[in-house]
Amino acid sequence: MSRKAAMVIAALATLLYIYHLLLYPTNPVSDLHQSSTSNLTSPFQNSTRIEGVPSIKLSTSGSAASHCLPLPQYQPLPPDNLHNCSLPYVSMNNGGRLGNKICQYMSLALLRSVFGIRVGILKNMNNYLRKIFPKLSLPVEDPKCFHGTPSRDNFSALYRNLSVRNSASGRNLVDSKLHPYLLSESVYIYNYPCPWNLLLPLRDQLRQELVFHDAILNKAKMHLNHAVKSLLNNATKNITIITVHVRRTDYLNYIKVNYKLKPLKKTYFQRAFKFFRNRVASPVFAVSSDDPEWCKNNIMDKDVVFVGTKDPVLDMALLSLGDHHVITYGTYGFVSAFLGAGIIVYPDNKDRPVFPCLNSTILQSISRN
């Protein structure tokens, strides 16, 4: 065989491997049966909690598809190259509202943790998020250490590229340092990533970093405690808090235009509430929404209380306090539940699944129709 023919065959083999990797991503090392599902937290001392995910017989949701990002094949790396000014780096768009910004921060932390590359958050993002989360670890993109003008890319393309380069580098579980050529140039991510399937295996890790400021968290606990005690006439012993986020107003038109979806009806919430009523002791559903009137007219019950305020940061902290969560659509609801503990119930769309790339017992789908 000629040298030229051998090179062609080798190139074709490499392309076939990359194609296989993108179509059939492997399972993550990190187990999705996390400790956060068995050590649930609540603002109430005597809260009754589910002892573990398998015991409540949850179904798995989602399946790997060709458009899904490949899951990590190795353990996350320790942060050892954050301040090496000679290395290229990744920075992130700072647009959107609270849910977007947190997702964007988590996506950068994900790249850092999984691939060991250097990342930096924009000064505006740091100023905004640090008022809410004082324990942020990612460095600010200081021009003294973050040199040059980065190229532009979207998160999915960059992640796939890094996955392929990492596989080609031969790095394995034993390695503890970054492959020197994994990131060949600095990159600015211009879109709004929130890769649920990649973030959930790191839920416990990110919850340790995205801890609300004490003043915010204490206010949220007091507000939730007061609302639930008012509902139950101070009888808060052995209850299970289920926080519920109902996204409506601007999102109704958004999901209609982009996903051809109609607004969620009260049937979805009734089924979600029944799911927990059949599985936990004394559930109390704490509802927050941008449309309180709709909630009060459609989903209120003897074990349901509206706890929302007009402060999105306070509401997110409040929603994160639940033992478990019910969400609708959007990054805000997902992040609120992600920063909490326990199970996340979400609306199932058979033709357009919300979490198409996951097979996790942390997530539980409920039919929206």
Side-chain angles (χ1 to χ4, degrees), residues 302-332:
K302 61 182 179 180
D303 56 358
V304 182
V305 60
F306 191 86
V307 298
T309 71
K310 295 182 179 181
D311 183 344
V313 174
L314 180 61
D315 279 10
M316 180 175 282
L318 191 154
L319 290 167
S320 74
L321 293 172
D323 292 317
H324 303 285
H325 315 274
V326 176
I327 64 174
T328 51
Y329 300 110
T331 56
Y332 182 93

Side-chain angles (χ1 to χ4, degrees), residues 11 37 182 200 236 304:
T37 56
L182 201 58
L200 270 175
T236 59
V304 182

Side-chain angles (χ1 to χ4, degrees), residues 33-45:
H33 296 271
Q34 299 176 26
S35 60
S36 60
T37 56
S38 57
N39 300 306
L40 306 182
T41 57
S42 170
F44 304 96
Q45 269 188 327

Side-chain angles (χ1 to χ4, degrees), residues 152-165:
R152 292 168 59 85
D153 207 346
N154 66 65
F155 179 87
S156 296
L158 176 63
Y159 183 91
R160 288 185 188 277
N161 197 3
L162 290 171
S163 296
V164 171
R165 290 183 185 181

Side-chain angles (χ1 to χ4, degrees), residues 180-316:
Y181 305 110
L182 201 58
L183 188 65
S184 58
E185 62 178 349
S186 296
V187 178
Y188 171 78
I189 297 174
Y190 60 80
N191 63 331
Y192 299 80
C194 196
W196 342 86
N197 64 321
L198 304 179
L199 291 171
L200 270 175
L202 299 177
R203 187 186 190 189
D204 284 342
Q205 175 184 326
L206 289 169
R207 286 174 66 224
Q208 297 301 314
E209 180 168 348
L210 293 167
V211 177
F212 288 94
H213 194 287
D214 285 345
I216 297 171
L217 198 57
N218 290 337
K219 188 175 181 179
K221 288 179 179 179
M222 289 177 60
H223 187 83
L224 180 60
N225 199 352
H226 175 75
V228 174
K229 283 185 176 181
S230 298
L231 178 72
L232 302 178
N233 295 318
N234 291 322
T236 59
K237 185 178 180 180
N238 296 329
I239 63 171
T240 305
I241 302 296
I242 316 296
T243 58
V244 183
H245 181 248
V246 183
R247 180 74 178 270
R248 287 178 59 83
T249 61
D250 62 316
Y251 230 67
L252 300 184
N253 186 63
Y254 179 84
I255 62 174
K256 178 182 178 181
V257 171
N258 291 277
Y259 304 108
K260 310 302 180 186
L261 290 174
K262 295 180 180 179
L264 286 168
K265 297 180 180 179
K266 64 180 181 181
T267 307
Y268 162 70
F269 298 98
Q270 292 170 341
R271 289 173 177 166
F273 294 173
K274 183 179 180 181
F275 172 85
F276 285 112
R277 286 171 181 147
N278 291 340
R279 288 167 172 81
V280 303
S282 304
V284 172
F285 300 92
V287 179
S288 175
S289 176
D290 55 358
D291 192 348
E293 287 302 314
W294 186 91
C295 296
K296 291 173 183 177
N297 292 331
N298 288 277
I299 63 174
M300 303 310 291
D301 207 333
K302 61 182 179 180
D303 56 358
V304 182
V305 60
F306 191 86
V307 298
T309 71
K310 295 182 179 181
D311 183 344
V313 174
L314 180 61
D315 279 10
M316 180 175 282

Side-chain angles (χ1 to χ4, degrees), residues 10-31:
L12 288 173
T14 301
L15 288 174
L16 285 172
Y17 171 76
I18 294 171
Y19 181 75
H20 178 84
L21 179 66
L22 297 181
L23 279 183
Y24 304 105
T26 56
N27 291 327
V29 171
S30 183
D31 188 358

Side-chain angles (χ1 to χ4, degrees), residues 19-75:
Y19 181 75
H20 178 84
L21 179 66
L22 297 181
L23 279 183
Y24 304 105
T26 56
N27 291 327
V29 171
S30 183
D31 188 358
L32 287 181
H33 296 271
Q34 299 176 26
S35 60
S36 60
T37 56
S38 57
N39 300 306
L40 306 182
T41 57
S42 170
F44 304 96
Q45 269 188 327
N46 298 314
S47 176
T48 299
R49 301 178 178 90
I50 296 175
E51 293 300 323
V53 171
S55 66
I56 66 169
K57 299 179 181 179
L58 298 178
S59 64
T60 56
S61 60
S63 59
S66 60
H67 63 274
C68 295
L69 295 173
L71 291 166
Q73 303 175 55
Y74 39 82
Q75 297 287 358

